[in-house]
Amino acid sequence: MIRVVLVDDQAMVRTGLRMVLAAEPDIEVVGEAADGAAGVRVVTDLRPDVVLLDVRMPGMDGLEAARRILAADLPTRVVVLTTFDEDEYVTAALRAGVSGFLLKVAPPEDLVAAVRTVAAGQGLLDPAVTLRVIEGYAAAPSPDPVRAAALAGLTERETDVLALVAAGLSNAEIAARLYLGEATVKTHVSRVLLKLGLRDRVQAVAFAYESGLVTPGGR
């Protein structure tokens, strides 16, 4: 079972999320909270596989809650629930190390797929959020020299794969672009994450932009 905690200040939203997830045989909602501080406590106590975390909440917001959860060395992966008008939160959450973003207007099947994807150790970046994230990095200062230097530890092929991951391509799409087998691409992605100390593809996107490997509009 995939154990999930819901953190949102709107009771109706939590009820809707619970109803969607409870209908799945492999997902169990084990706890809820109505604000960030309570969310951190519930997640720390229950140690779920995934926490769905709203951004805007009274008291401690979702961004600070995400930072505290991620700093606590828990097995929990964080998925941020966001809306179209929260660009600054999305970029900050990405840098904090969350595993995924999901728009609140996403259909139920996307919610279920997001929970399963993140629980399986993969990152999730809603396509509708990707452009806003890229625009956020476009407005950022010059590349981080430490991250830029870390790119030297990658092979040329691994660097190519990282750039395409940052462009939002799937393993199958990268394989077609580089004329490689999909299994080979998967191996390259795993090596990139290992060498750079990254948890998943979402962190790889952040690293690619912060290191200056890719920029909006081109490499």
Side-chain angles (χ1 to χ4, degrees):
M1 295 292 289
I2 301 172
R3 302 170 67 252
V4 179
V5 164
L6 310 175
V7 184
D8 195 298
D9 62 318
Q10 299 182 47
M12 290 184 65
V13 171
R14 297 198 308 274
T15 298
L17 294 173
R18 178 182 281 275
M19 289 178 62
V20 171
L21 297 176
E24 302 301 318
D26 58 333
I27 299 175
E28 178 184 11
V29 177
V30 297
E32 296 183 14
D35 61 69
V40 173
R41 291 194 297 271
V42 172
V43 170
T44 302
D45 290 341
L46 299 178
R47 301 173 67 87
D49 301 299
V50 178
V51 55
L52 298 178
L53 190 63
D54 187 25
V55 170
R56 292 182 179 174
M57 293 182 288
M60 183 189 297
D61 65 19
L63 182 56
E64 180 59 27
R67 291 193 183 105
R68 297 192 184 193
I69 291 169
L70 292 166
D73 195 26
L74 299 169
T76 305
R77 290 179 171 265
V78 178
V79 175
V80 170
L81 300 175
T82 184
T83 60
F84 283 106
D85 61 346
E86 295 171 341
D87 298 356
E88 71 279 9
Y89 288 105
V90 171
T91 303
L94 183 60
R95 289 179 172 139
V98 304
S99 293
F101 299 91
L102 188 68
L103 292 174
K104 284 190 171 182
V105 295
E109 56 268 26
D110 285 3
L111 170 65
V112 173
V115 168
R116 289 178 177 146
T117 297
V118 172
Q122 302 176 50
L124 177 82
L125 192 60
D126 191 304
V129 179
T130 303
L131 178 59
R132 294 174 180 271
V133 172
I134 292 173
E135 290 172 345
Y137 282 110
S142 57
D144 182 335
V146 175
R147 286 176 170 77
L151 292 174
L154 303 181
T155 66
E156 182 177 357
R157 181 61 79 194
E158 289 166 352
T159 303
D160 291 337
V161 168
L162 175 58
L164 294 176
V165 167
L169 275 65
S170 66
N171 286 353
E173 291 168 333
I174 295 173
R177 181 75 62 88
L178 298 180
Y179 303 101
L180 298 172
E182 193 170 344
T184 300
V185 171
K186 184 176 180 180
T187 298
H188 283 313
V189 171
S190 296
R191 288 176 177 169
V192 167
L193 297 180
L194 180 63
K195 287 183 177 181
L196 298 178
L198 306 174
R199 184 168 52 247
D200 50 41
R201 296 172 81 97
V202 173
Q203 284 197 327
V205 171
F207 185 97
Y209 281 94
E210 291 181 337
S211 66
L213 173 65
V214 293
T215 58
R219 177 172 170 180

